[in-house]
C-alpha cells in the first residue's frame, strides 16, 4: 500500500503517518526528517537544506526528488510506504507518478488531513519536537508525560526553528501557493480521501483506518 499524506504544516499529518506506519507495517518516510537528520549530522545536504528551511521556504525540487526516489527504492519499501511531506509541489508529484508508472505501480491513497488556517497557527506555535528521535508533541493537545522531556528517549524537547511564529506565516503561504494544488491533482487521479483533521488524533486515525482497512 502506497500512501501520500496531504495537509497544511501542523495539520497533524506526521502524527497520523506514524500511526499508519505502525498499523500497516510500512515505513514512514518524511523528507523533513531526512533533512533534519542531515542538518544534525552536518552533511553538505543538510547545510544546503537548512538555508531554505530556516526561511520557511521549500528545498528545491531537484534536491528533494533525488532523496525521495533513492529512499523509496530501498528494500524495506517493496510492500509500500507512507510519505509525509512529499510531494509538496506539482512537479514533485509528477516525478513520483512517473517513477511509479515505470514500475507499473501507483499511489493507492492520498489522505488529506483537513484543518482550517485559523487552527494551524495555534497548533504550530504549541508544537514541540524531540531533537534526538523526532517524536512530536503539542503543549496542550499531546503533551509529554514529563513537561519538556521526550517520553520515548528522555531528551529535552525543543521548538523547531521553523515552527517559530515568524516562519509559520511564510510556510502557510508556501503551502497555499505550492502544495494545496496537490489536492486537486490526486482527486483527478481518483485516490484522494479527505479526513477532518480538527478532531483528536485517535478519532482522525479511526477515520483513516476505516478508509485503509
Ligand atoms: P516538514 O517536517 O515536512 O514540515 O518539513 C520541514 C521543512 O523541510 C519544510 O518547511 C521545507 O523547508 C523542507 N521540506 C520537507 N519536505 C519537502 C519537500 N517535499 N519539498 C521541499 N521542501 C521540503
Amino acid at each position: 500500500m502506497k500512501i501520500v499524506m496531504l495537509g497544511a504544516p501542523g495539520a497533524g499529518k506526521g502524527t497520523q503517518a506514524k500511526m499508519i506506519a505502525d498499523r500497516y507495517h510500512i515505513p514512514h518516510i518524511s523528507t523533513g526528517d531526512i533533512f533534519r537528520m542531515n542538518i544534525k549530522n552536518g552533511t553538505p545536504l543538510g547545510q544546503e537544506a537548512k538555508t531554505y528551511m530556516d526561511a520557511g521556504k521549500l528545498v528545491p525540487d531537484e534536491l528533494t526528488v533525488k532523496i525521495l526516489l533513492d529512499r523509496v527504492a530501498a528494500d524495506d519499501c517493496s510492500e509500500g510506504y507512507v510519505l509525509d511531506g512529499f510531494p509538496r509541489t506539482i512537479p514533485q508529484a509528477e516525478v513520483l507518478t512517473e517513477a511509479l508508472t515505470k514500475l507499473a505501480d501507483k499511489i493507492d491513497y492520498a489522505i488529506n488531513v483537513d484543518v482550517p488556517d485559523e487552527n494551524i497557527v495555534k497548533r504550530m506555535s504549541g508544537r514541540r519536537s524531540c531533537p534526538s528521535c523526532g517524536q512530536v508533541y503539542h503543549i496542550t493537545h499531546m503533551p509529554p508525560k514529563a513537561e519538556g522531556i521526550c517520553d520515548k528517549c528522555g531528551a529535552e524537547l525543543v521548538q523547531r526553528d521553523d515552527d517559530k511564529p515568524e516562519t509559520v506565516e511564510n510556510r502557510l503561504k508556501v503551502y497555499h501557493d505550492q502544495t494545496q494544488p496537490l489536492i486537486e491533482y490526486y482527486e483527478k487521479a481518483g485516490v484522494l480521501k479527505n479526513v477532518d483533521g480538527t478532531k483528536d488524533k485517535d478519532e482522525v486515525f479511526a477515520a483513516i483506518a476505516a478508509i485503509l482497512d
Side-chain angles (χ1 to χ4, degrees):
M1 189 154 54
K2 298 186 173 65
I3 303 168
V4 161
M5 301 303 290
L6 299 176
K13 61 183 185 309
T15 302
Q16 296 299 326
K18 286 195 183 105
M19 293 167 86
I20 292 170
D22 281 349
R23 180 175 172 122
Y24 299 97
H25 310 292
I26 50 177
H28 164 224
I29 300 176
S30 153
T31 38
D33 282 351
I34 295 173
F35 290 137
R36 281 184 288 278
M37 202 174 65
N38 276 277
I39 292 173
K40 196 169 136 194
N41 295 333
T43 69
L45 167 67
Q47 279 166 13
E48 184 166 2
K50 191 176 185 333
T51 55
Y52 298 98
M53 291 169 76
D54 284 353
K57 292 186 185 155
L58 294 183
V59 177
D61 284 344
E62 205 186 71
L63 198 63
T64 310
V65 157
K66 187 180 173 323
I67 285 157
L68 191 276
L69 292 182
D70 281 352
R71 178 64 189 90
V72 297
D75 285 348
D76 65 332
C77 291
S78 61
E79 295 295 310
Y81 42 76
V82 52
L83 301 184
D84 163 18
F86 186 99
R88 254 190 168 90
T89 65
I90 294 281
Q92 289 182 12
E94 285 171 343
V95 170
L96 178 62
T97 301
E98 217 172 282
L100 287 170
T101 305
K102 277 193 193 142
L103 304 168
D105 206 347
K106 68 182 205 50
I107 292 297
D108 299 296
Y109 298 99
I111 298 177
N112 179 35
V113 183
D114 192 21
V115 174
D117 271 11
E118 52 270 29
N119 301 25
I120 291 290
V121 177
K122 246 185 275 164
R123 285 187 179 216
M124 287 172 83
S125 58
R127 179 151 75 173
R128 297 292 180 272
S129 315
C130 175
S132 177
C133 75
Q135 183 64 35
V136 177
Y137 300 88
H138 189 282
I139 50 178
T140 47
H141 307 311
M142 220 190 345
K145 292 193 183 90
E147 196 184 319
I149 302 293
C150 180
D151 292 349
K152 288 200 170 161
C153 70
E156 201 168 319
L157 301 179
V158 297
Q159 182 173 41
R160 272 166 44 181
D161 283 340
D162 61 346
D163 281 343
K164 300 197 165 137
E166 54 278 21
T167 315
V168 166
E169 211 172 298
N170 206 11
R171 291 177 71 196
L172 258 182
K173 184 177 174 334
V174 168
Y175 169 73
H176 287 301
D177 291 349
Q178 303 204 54
T179 308
Q180 208 169 16
L182 292 172
I183 296 174
E184 199 185 323
Y185 178 90
Y186 283 109
E187 187 168 30
K188 282 193 180 141
V191 296
L192 181 74
K193 303 284 176 190
N194 285 300
V195 295
D196 177 356
T198 61
K199 304 253 170 68
D200 98 16
K201 79 175 198 312
D202 294 321
E203 280 179 80
V204 178
F205 187 63
I208 293 175
I211 295 164
L212 301 180
D213 284 349

